[in-house]
Amino acid sequence: MKIEKANVIVTCPGRNFVTLKIYTDEGVYGLGDATLNGREKSVVSYLEDHVIPCLIGRDPANIEDIWQYLYKGAYWRRGPVTMSAIAAVDMALWDIKGKVLDTPVYNLLGGKSRQGVMVYAHANGSDIEETVDEVGRYLDKGYRAVRAQCGIPGVESVYGVSKNKESYEPAKKGLPPEDTWSTEKYLNHIPKLFEQLRDTYGDDPHFLHDCHHRLTPIEAGRVGKELEPFHLFWIEDCTPAELQESFRIIRQHTTTPLAVGEVFNSIWDAQLLISEMLIDYIRTSIVRGGGISHMKKIASFAEIYHVKTGFHGATDLSPVTMAAALHFDLSVNNFGIQERMPHQEIVSDVFSTAYSFDSGFMYPGDEPGLGVDIDEEKAKKYPYERAYLPVNRKEDGTLFNW
C-alpha cells in the first residue's frame, strides 16, 4: 500500500477548520486535523507546499518513520505551524491503519485502560451569581467536572466569559479585537467565586479554573494558596510557561494542582516541568503536539513523574482532534481529564462522528480508525473567514498576555 495523494480542506461552519485527507492506492483514506486558530492558512501552505509532496509514494503503515522524516528531515523543528502539520499527517495515518486493520485506533494504542473518558464543561457568567447558576446547569446535565469563569467588576471583557448568553467562542471575525485587563481586580475577586460554588454545591463536584497565562509566578502562588480551601481540580495556565523554572516559585506557595501546556508543541516544552514535578497535568493537544505518536511519548514520560494528561479540547480543535484525543485518553493509564467544549450544531453538517457523551463521560465509539468523516461538498458551503483571538492590554495600555 502506498500514499497516492492528499488534499487540504478548509471550511468554516461557524469557525475555521483545516482538515488533511490522505488517500492510499487501495482506496482507503484517513483524516487529520491541522487547525491553528488565527493562523490556519499558514498550516495549509506548509502542508500543500512542503509536506504533501514528500508523502506521495510512501507506505502509510510506517507512521513513526514518516513522523521522524517530517520532524527531523525538515531541519527547522517545532513551532505551532510545523507541529500542527505533522499532527495532521500523523492522525490521518493512524486513521488509515485502523481502517485497514478494521479496528478502532484505541486498540492500536494498547486497548482500553478505562470504560469512559471523564470530561469537563465550561460554565461562565457576567458575575458570580450567574456563573454559579451556569455551573448548576452543567451538573444537571451529568457533568462531574466544570470549569468556572466569571466577569470581574471593573473589567469590561474577561477571558472565558461570553456575551449575550451565547456559547463562548474566543476567535472573532476580522482583525484582532483589543481587551483591557487588570490583574489586581482579578486576584481580589476570583476566590469569592469558588467560595460561593462550594457553599452552593458542596465538596463532590470537580471545579477547574483557567488563569490564561495572566499572572506572574508569585501572583499565581497567591491565587493558588487562596483557592486551597475550595480544593480545585486544577488551576490552568497560571503563568506563561516559556520559563519552565518559574513554576518552582508557584510550587513553593500552593498545593492547588497545576495544569499547563495547551500552547506547547513538543516534549521539550514540558521537559523540566514534568521531570521536576512542577505540574500535575499536561494539557498539550493532539493537534498542537505533533499527533498521537508524539503525545504517546509525552504521556509515557509524564507517567514516570506522576503527571496526568488533561488535553486541550476547545472549539478551535476540529472533531477529528476530539476523536483522536478520546481514543488516546481511553488507552493511557495516566489519563486525568479531557476538556470538552461542544461545537456548534452547524459543524455536524460537515463532520460526522462516532463519539458520544453520557453522564459526564465521553466514548470514542467502535468504528474502525478514528470514527470521523467529512462531507467535502457540504464543506464548500462554508468558505474560510478571517478570524483572530483578541489582543490584551493592561489598563495603562501595555501589551499583555491574552
Side-chain angles (χ1 to χ4, degrees), residues 21 68 93 147 149 191 230 239 293 316 346:
K21 193 171 187 178
Q68 297 292 345
L93 296 183
R147 192 190 83 168
Q149 311 288 136
F230 316 119
T239 196
S293 296
D316 60 346
I346 196 173

Side-chain angles (χ1 to χ4, degrees), residues 117-123 143 145-147 149 159-160 168 170 208 210 212 233-234 236-237 262 282-285 309-317 321-323 325-326 329 335-343 357 362:
V117 174
M118 186 170 71
V119 295
Y120 69 89
H122 288 200
Y143 284 92
V146 183
R147 192 190 83 168
Q149 311 288 136
Y159 166 78
Y168 179 66
L208 305 85
D210 189 355
H212 220 251
F233 190 94
W234 75 37
E236 174 187 343
D237 289 337
E262 71 181 49
I282 181 67
R283 298 242 320 121
T284 310
S285 66
T309 65
F311 290 170
H312 181 59
T315 52
D316 60 346
L317 312 178
T321 287
M322 176 54 77
L326 292 173
D329 296 338
F335 166 76
I337 199 167
Q338 171 67 52
E339 181 177 19
R340 186 204 184 201
M341 195 175 175
H343 294 106
F357 170 81
M362 288 191 74

Side-chain angles (χ1 to χ4, degrees), residues 374-391:
I374 187 170
D375 187 322
E376 294 190 61
E377 287 304 310
K378 290 184 178 179
K380 294 176 183 176
K381 293 166 42 182
Y382 307 102
Y384 168 83
E385 297 184 51
R386 184 195 300 270
Y388 290 103
L389 297 172
V391 171

